[in-house]
Amino acid sequence: MKIFVLPEKPDQAKKYAHALGDPKNDKGIWKVYSDILKADVLIAPAVGHLVEKDNPYKNYENWELENLPALPEKFSYHVKKGVSSSFNNIKKCIKECDYIIIGTDPDREGESIAYKILNEIPGSLKKVKYRLWANSLTKKGIESAFKNLRDPSETVNYYHEADARDDADWLVGFNLSPFVTIKMKEVGELEKTDKVMSVGRVQTPIVSLIVRNHEEIENFVSTPYWTIEALNEDGLKFTNDVKFDSLQEATEALESMSDGYTVVDVKVENKSQAAPKLYNLTNLQSEMSKLYKIDATRTKEIVQSLYQKGFMSYPRTDSTLITTNEFEYLVANVEHYKKKIGKNIETVNLTPRKEFVNDKKVVEHYAIIPTENIPNIEELDPYEKIIYQMVTFQTLLMFSENYDYQSTTITIKNDASSTEFKTSGNVTLNKGWRKYKQTKSEDKELPSLKVADNLVLKASIKQDQTKPPSRITEQYLLKTLLPKYDLGTSATRDGILDLIQAREYVKKEKKTGQFTPTTRGIKLIHFLDKLDIIYTNPETTQKWELLLTQIGKGKIKKSDFVEKVKWAISKQIEKGKQLL
């Protein structure tokens, strides 16, 4: 029996080979007998994408309006230049083997890389028998993955999803980029020598968000408003939510009030807050941007490096949960982690809790956590060290006590006008995990009051101004906006942010991480608005992403989705031709 394993990268292949036994490397092909698989194993890696999409219109000029929309019936692929030796090694192994185990990265992109290679080798798809799903590249992690091989039918829809996404992106870019560029030059929005205006399914709505935010700030006119607050002799403040548009209105409201108030409600709740969630890639990128001004791409590269060295779990994950399997090895290594990062955290929660551990909800990948392989911290580069310590610290907090506090809200009513005022405060009962991670909140102990108590307070008018929206930062994009609209994935978001900067649509301020649009970016979005092209709207991309997710779950067909994309592009171009 001879088995072929297809990894995505040479380093991955080497780790697989050494985890399976005592391997030999024969001109780029690893050969090893595996006790786990009870067979001879051949391992020949890809080097990422060996195969790329053909241009279906090689003799076709899509930069002429009469040739748009260009909607090919299907796509074909070819082996990229310079990688034929890797491809031929894979082809040779497939010819020799009895069956294939797909061992590319355990995600949509990895699935796509594998099947695009296999599609170019006749007869190979019939030999695919198992899918290796390795969330950890430690020896134990790889051994566990080989002992728990998946049926390829469980993951093949991820390939169809990735392929649908790739086709959709190609169709949007190949059609709308030339269409918009030609039209902008026709009406004088661009010079004849100006660069192409690239339009993309994901990049364009992100540029749109930054442009809209910028224009809201630029067009914002601050206006005054007035509120009324009431204070007791100790300075305790009770506030009212009503905002008055004029000082006269506020004054009339104040004059209707007396100094007497009655307590109408006292709400006291004991609350408990578990430690912060474990990191997924987007949250970690957001944190690194905020704390260290490290951009998203660099953060992903660092985590990928730690993963490949076997010190950290798979990086391109959206999950903040782990399974009981990971929890067990983390518990076993708690004291080692503490010592390694120099944090004396009291770890008392040594049984799984639903906030962190849920076997049913971890479908593809679990959260980013340290592996059982613990590095020599001093041998890591400075940023690897920072990220390893951050991830390990966040993981250790999972084992600490909850933060327990008492929350009190007091509502009072003015005796003369019946206007309600409120004050609230929290008192810590047990600091728990907050002993180790600083937060901005402070204790505010309220006086002991009960319903029907009478108070004497002094009310006064306070003037304030409306404030413009905050400028969008990389952290806010990663943590809030991109997940909100499903713009990109954890694996692609950093690349898209780099792309819109490289295409000179936006600029990022290094110190603050704030994004501002360029004149070029503003021109693009305004022109797309004139053409009524839907790709400026992030909700359009969000709807597409929901459909793509359904492909990944096997609930809709890739072909149905792509046909809808073609229909939408066709309608957009028809409408655009009529408008301008």
Side-chain angles (χ1 to χ4, degrees):
M1 176 70 71
K2 193 173 282 188
I3 300 168
F4 170 56
V5 179
L6 173 59
E8 189 167 324
K9 309 174 187 74
D11 181 64
Q12 202 174 41
K14 183 179 179 180
K15 282 186 166 64
Y16 290 172
H18 284 274
L20 288 174
D22 184 18
K24 291 181 181 178
N25 191 308
D26 181 11
K27 297 179 182 179
I29 299 173
W30 290 95
K31 298 179 178 180
V32 61
Y33 179 79
S34 167
D35 285 329
I36 295 172
L37 300 174
K38 304 298 181 189
D40 291 313
V41 180
L42 302 174
I43 306 172
V47 283
H49 293 267
L50 295 184
V51 171
E52 63 186 2
K53 192 178 251 125
D54 289 327
N55 179 358
Y57 302 109
K58 290 176 183 176
N59 302 311
Y60 181 95
E61 181 53 71
N62 69 313
W63 288 86
E64 295 176 6
L65 284 183
E66 59 267 27
N67 292 333
L68 295 173
L71 307 171
E73 284 188 23
K74 63 179 182 177
F75 292 101
S76 58
Y77 295 82
H78 65 274
V79 178
K80 290 165 65 176
K81 289 181 180 179
V83 296
S84 58
S85 61
S86 296
F87 183 80
N88 289 334
N89 275 349
I90 292 169
K91 194 173 180 179
K92 179 183 176 183
C93 291
I94 289 174
K95 188 176 180 181
E96 292 181 27
C97 77
D98 294 289
Y99 68 81
I100 299 168
I101 297 172
I102 295 175
T104 46
D105 278 0
D107 60 11
R108 287 157 178 74
E109 196 62 26
E111 200 79 1
S112 178
I113 285 170
Y115 278 100
K116 282 178 180 173
I117 292 170
L118 296 174
N119 283 336
E120 296 304 304
I121 302 172
S124 62
L125 292 175
K126 293 179 182 178
K127 290 188 175 184
V128 175
K129 189 173 182 181
Y130 294 114
R131 181 47 157 119
L132 181 77
W133 203 258
N135 275 303
S136 166
L137 288 183
T138 65
K139 189 172 186 295
K140 284 184 180 178
I142 294 169
E143 287 174 350
S144 175
F146 272 107
K147 289 174 183 176
N148 295 279
L149 292 168
R150 295 188 178 191
D151 189 299
S153 64
E154 292 179 32
T155 60
V156 69
N157 284 319
Y158 296 147
Y159 155 60
H160 296 309
E161 178 185 341
D163 208 30
R165 182 178 278 107
D166 184 52
D167 286 0
D169 288 346
W170 188 94
L171 288 164
V172 171
F174 193 83
N175 282 280
L176 293 183
S177 296
F179 180 72
V180 169
T181 304
I182 293 166
K183 278 291 188 181
M184 289 184 78
K185 288 181 178 180
E186 272 187 7
V187 299
E189 292 279 349
L190 286 180
E191 298 296 326
K192 297 293 183 184
T193 55
D194 280 347
K195 291 190 293 185
V196 170
M197 281 296 199
S198 171
V199 178
R201 184 182 63 86
V202 178
Q203 60 164 308
T204 302
I206 296 176
V207 175
S208 174
L209 285 169
I210 294 167
V211 169
R212 313 288 190 217
N213 170 252
H214 171 75
E215 292 180 336
E216 281 183 43
I217 294 168
E218 291 292 299
N219 298 327
F220 184 81
V221 177
S222 181
T223 57
Y225 66 90
W226 290 262
T227 57
I228 298 175
E229 58 186 27
L231 284 75
N232 71 3
E233 57 187 11
D234 296 322
L236 178 64
K237 186 189 298 182
F238 290 81
T239 59
N240 174 266
D241 291 335
V242 177
K243 293 180 179 179
F244 298 97
D245 294 329
S246 69
L247 177 59
Q248 182 179 343
E249 288 178 301
T251 302
E252 289 172 358
L254 180 63
E255 288 174 348
S256 71
M257 298 178 191
S258 65
D259 290 342
Y261 295 80
T262 301
V263 176
V264 293
D265 186 54
V266 178
K267 189 175 183 180
V268 180
E269 293 180 284
N270 287 339
K271 296 183 177 182
S272 189
Q273 185 183 71
K277 292 178 180 179
L278 298 170
Y279 284 122
N280 60 21
L281 181 58
T282 298
N283 290 341
L284 184 56
Q285 288 171 320
S286 172
E287 196 106 321
M288 287 296 288
S289 176
K290 177 184 177 183
L291 297 176
Y292 298 100
K293 310 307 175 196
I294 302 297
D295 68 33
T297 298
R298 181 71 184 119
T299 296
K300 187 172 78 174
E301 290 170 352
I302 297 164
V303 187
Q304 180 72 23
S305 172
L306 289 166
Y307 166 67
Q308 288 175 203
K309 290 176 179 179
F311 301 139
M312 199 158 287
S313 63
Y314 188 71
R316 295 193 286 276
T317 176
D318 291 317
S319 180
T320 57
L321 297 165
I322 58 175
T323 73
T324 49
N325 289 333
E326 292 78 56
F327 189 84
E328 285 171 7
Y329 88 68
L330 290 172
V331 169
N333 286 283
V334 159
E335 296 305 320
H336 297 301
Y337 296 137
K338 284 196 239 180
K339 185 176 179 181
K340 186 56 64 174
I341 67 170
K343 295 286 186 181
N344 188 25
I345 296 172
E346 194 175 350
T347 48
V348 297
N349 281 305
L350 299 178
T351 55
R353 293 183 290 161
K354 61 179 172 53
E355 294 92 344
F356 308 101
V357 185
N358 192 318
D359 291 6
K360 291 181 180 178
K361 289 188 177 181
V362 179
V363 180
E364 297 173 51
H365 307 292
Y366 48 80
I368 298 175
I369 55 174
T371 67
E372 68 273 18
N373 279 9
I374 300 175
N376 180 340
I377 290 282
E378 301 312 315
E379 291 180 359
L380 301 177
D381 77 31
Y383 285 114
E384 284 181 335
K385 182 177 178 180
I386 287 170
I387 286 182
Y388 184 82
Q389 289 176 322
M390 279 177 61
V391 169
T392 304
F393 174 63
Q394 193 91 337
T395 303
L396 286 172
L397 288 180
M398 169 178 65
F399 300 106
S400 62
E401 290 185 293
N402 282 8
Y403 163 58
D404 299 321
Y405 62 101
Q406 187 177 79
S407 171
T408 303
T409 301
I410 300 172
T411 305
I412 61 174
K413 187 177 285 188
N414 186 265
D415 293 342
S417 68
S418 295
T419 306
E420 285 192 351
F421 293 79
K422 290 184 179 182
T423 191
S424 60
N426 296 332
V427 176
T428 295
L429 303 175
N430 176 24
K431 287 194 78 171
W433 59 268
R434 289 198 178 194
K435 294 175 192 173
Y436 317 107
K437 187 161 187 170
Q438 291 183 342
T439 58
K440 291 182 180 179
S441 61
E442 296 179 0
D443 277 9
K444 177 184 173 184
E445 190 165 1
L446 301 182
S448 180
L449 295 171
K450 59 183 184 298
V451 173
D453 280 355
N454 295 313
L455 304 174
V456 175
L457 304 174
K458 183 67 176 177
S460 60
I461 295 171
K462 180 185 176 185
Q463 182 179 340
D464 211 331
Q465 296 282 132
T466 56
K467 294 178 177 61
S470 298
R471 193 167 291 281
I472 287 175
T473 63
E474 182 175 60
Q475 185 208 5
Y476 184 61
L477 274 172
L478 290 168
K479 190 174 183 179
T480 306
L481 285 182
L482 302 189
K484 175 184 176 182
Y485 293 110
D486 291 314
L487 292 172
T489 65
S490 58
T492 62
R493 284 169 182 150
D494 56 295
I496 297 165
L497 296 184
D498 288 345
L499 183 68
I500 60 176
Q501 293 174 75
R503 288 181 171 162
E504 299 177 5
Y505 292 145
V506 301
K507 290 181 179 178
K508 186 177 74 173
E509 213 280 318
K510 285 186 178 180
K511 287 185 179 179
T512 62
Q514 291 179 336
F515 278 100
T516 53
T518 62
T519 302
R520 178 177 162 81
I522 293 170
K523 271 186 179 181
L524 172 65
I525 298 305
H526 285 183
F527 195 76
L528 290 171
D529 287 344
K530 283 182 190 176
L531 291 178
D532 197 25
I533 286 181
I534 59 176
Y535 300 106
T536 59
N537 186 348
E539 291 180 1
T540 299
T541 301
Q542 184 179 38
K543 290 173 184 174
W544 280 27
E545 286 296 338
L546 289 172
L547 291 173
L548 286 164
T549 302
Q550 294 301 302
I551 296 172
K553 292 177 179 178
K555 293 185 176 179
I556 65 172
K557 292 181 180 178
K558 173 208 161 184
S559 56
D560 292 343
F561 171 79
V562 173
E563 286 306 311
K564 284 182 180 178
V565 172
K566 289 179 179 179
W567 178 85
I569 289 170
S570 182
K571 290 293 180 185
Q572 289 280 279
I573 289 178
E574 284 176 24
K575 187 189 292 184
K577 285 179 179 179
Q578 292 169 4
L579 288 172
L580 287 173

